[in-house]
Amino acid sequence: VGAVFTARILNPRSARAPGPGAGYIGTDGTLRISAGSFAVGGSLDVAIVNRDAGLGSGTGGSIGGNAVINFNVTSGLQIGGAADFQILNESVVSGSPGGSIGGDATINVSAANITANSLLAQIDNSNGGTIGGAANIAVNVGNNVTVPNGIDLHILNNNSGHIGTRGDSLFLAGDGISPTAPLVAYYE
């Protein structure tokens, strides 16, 4: 694909927005990428950004249904740098709520093989974010995972974050998983 690949749905209140509100998606916010094979010389950044990063008081974005990242590669996923998959629904503004997702927040990554410098799959709902349904992360690999700087799977829901349904899950499956740095999976 090239040196860097970025795919994002941007629905936040950004740092350049002095107003109180962010974007609104009335139904689902779905980012779907499917390929036979996928190679990037540098970093891969796939994200749904629905957070509050504005100035002063306000709120993050609103997604009426589900927020979903589906990244499916039937053969090999080869990334020269970091591979990041994120749903950002938090607030980075003190005292202001984060974004709102009416349904589930889900990240699904699947490939026959994954090679990357590092792999991060994260749902950040901290500091006042709201997810009406569940938060789920699944990384499914048919054969080998080679990630020398570690695999991190995170669901962050601290500091007044709210996830409605307690069916949250972190899942990593593969025949040959070989991170030389730690595998970190946590729900906070």
Side-chain angles (χ1 to χ4, degrees), residues 82-183:
D84 295 339
F85 303 89
Q86 300 184 81
I87 296 175
L88 302 173
N89 197 52
E90 83 283 17
S91 177
V92 296
V93 179
S94 179
S96 290
S100 174
I101 297 170
D104 296 337
T106 304
I107 298 173
N108 293 309
V109 178
S110 63
N113 299 292
I114 295 177
T115 301
N117 190 33
S118 62
L119 187 140
L120 170 67
Q122 173 175 277
I123 297 171
D124 190 346
N125 193 57
S126 58
N127 301 322
T130 301
I131 297 172
N136 300 295
I137 297 173
V139 179
N140 295 293
V141 184
N143 296 310
N144 296 310
V145 177
T146 305
V147 182
N149 288 317
I151 299 169
D152 291 290
L153 308 178
H154 306 159
I155 296 175
L156 306 174
N157 194 44
N158 56 328
N159 295 335
S160 301
H162 175 75
I163 298 176
T165 306
R166 301 313 306 177
D168 309 324
S169 62
L170 298 166
F171 179 75
L172 172 67
D175 284 343
I177 299 174
S178 59
T180 55
L183 165 64

